[in-house]
Amino acid sequence: MLPYFVKIKNLNLKEDVKKNLKEYVLKNLDKFNRNSNKVPYKYGSYDGNWYLPKQYMPFDLLDTIGNLFKIKISYEILAQSPFTDGRIHRDGNYPNLPPRSTVINFPIYPDNCTIGTKFYNLEEGSYDDFDNAIWKEICEVTYEDNHPVILNTQKWHAVKNNIKEKRFCAQFTTDLKFAEVVNLYNKNKLF
């Protein structure tokens, strides 16, 4: 749903790509680092995020997807803890981290995931006064169809995971703006 996300429906991956990534992730859970907080916000009460450090990244597996792109991308494998109710935010570009202007998100585990990313508008107030601001949910993208998604991470969003399992995804990030990435996708020039 523009301008928040676009589902990718015309990418033909080999059958075993997702299966192999899933097996790798589940066998290497001990290699993930975690950042979390349990600060109760009015909008979002628990951020439980997991990320795979670069030295453990399965580049051979991720290359089976990454090499399809015609743009410069970076790789990440991220997860959310069970019952994560993330704080609304926008992604930033930070020194020594991959650019995150736009994210192309590939679900890894669990299959047919009915949870995803919610997008919001800031209706009143400011982000600096988060709990007193008024946020309105605009839409949500989920992964029950197992399609990858182009996410506009420069819009206000939060990750939700309302199940008792971790949710894993492979993310391909770029410094290109969302509109540029969607334009390339629509012209069959992204892959």
Side-chain angles (χ1 to χ4, degrees), residues 27-137:
K27 285 180 185 174
N28 291 280
L29 293 175
D30 61 324
K31 294 179 174 60
F32 279 78
N33 288 336
R34 181 178 186 191
N35 62 25
S36 66
N37 70 54
K38 292 186 178 185
V39 177
Y41 302 111
K42 181 178 174 184
Y43 301 94
S45 58
Y46 173 63
D47 276 326
N49 298 304
W50 300 78
Y51 61 95
L52 190 61
K54 190 173 185 175
Q55 67 264 31
Y56 302 118
M57 201 72 69
F59 287 105
D60 56 333
L61 294 175
L62 292 169
D63 281 345
T64 61
I65 301 170
N67 288 341
L68 300 173
F69 284 91
K70 297 177 181 175
I71 61 171
K72 184 179 177 184
I73 53 166
S74 299
Y75 300 163
E76 298 176 309
I77 295 182
L78 302 178
Q80 283 77 43
S81 293
F83 307 111
T84 291
D85 182 15
R87 180 182 169 119
I88 300 167
H89 67 285
R90 290 180 181 154
D91 286 5
N93 292 326
Y94 303 103
N96 303 317
L97 292 175
R100 298 190 62 150
S101 295
T102 304
V103 169
I104 300 101
N105 202 349
F106 285 74
I108 295 175
Y109 178 84
D111 292 327
N112 310 107
C113 190
T114 58
I115 50 157
T117 303
K118 292 186 177 191
F119 289 90
Y120 299 85
N121 273 345
L122 176 57
E123 299 285 302
E124 290 181 34
S126 71
Y127 191 75
D128 292 334
D129 191 15
F130 187 81
D131 280 344
N132 292 316
I134 304 296
W135 300 91
K136 178 182 176 187
E137 183 179 326

Side-chain angles (χ1 to χ4, degrees), residues 164-180:
K164 59 183 175 183
E165 293 187 70
K166 290 185 183 81
R167 183 191 83 155
F168 291 90
C169 55
Q171 290 192 162
F172 299 85
T173 65
T174 178
D175 60 356
L176 295 177
K177 295 187 183 310
F178 176 77
E180 294 175 81

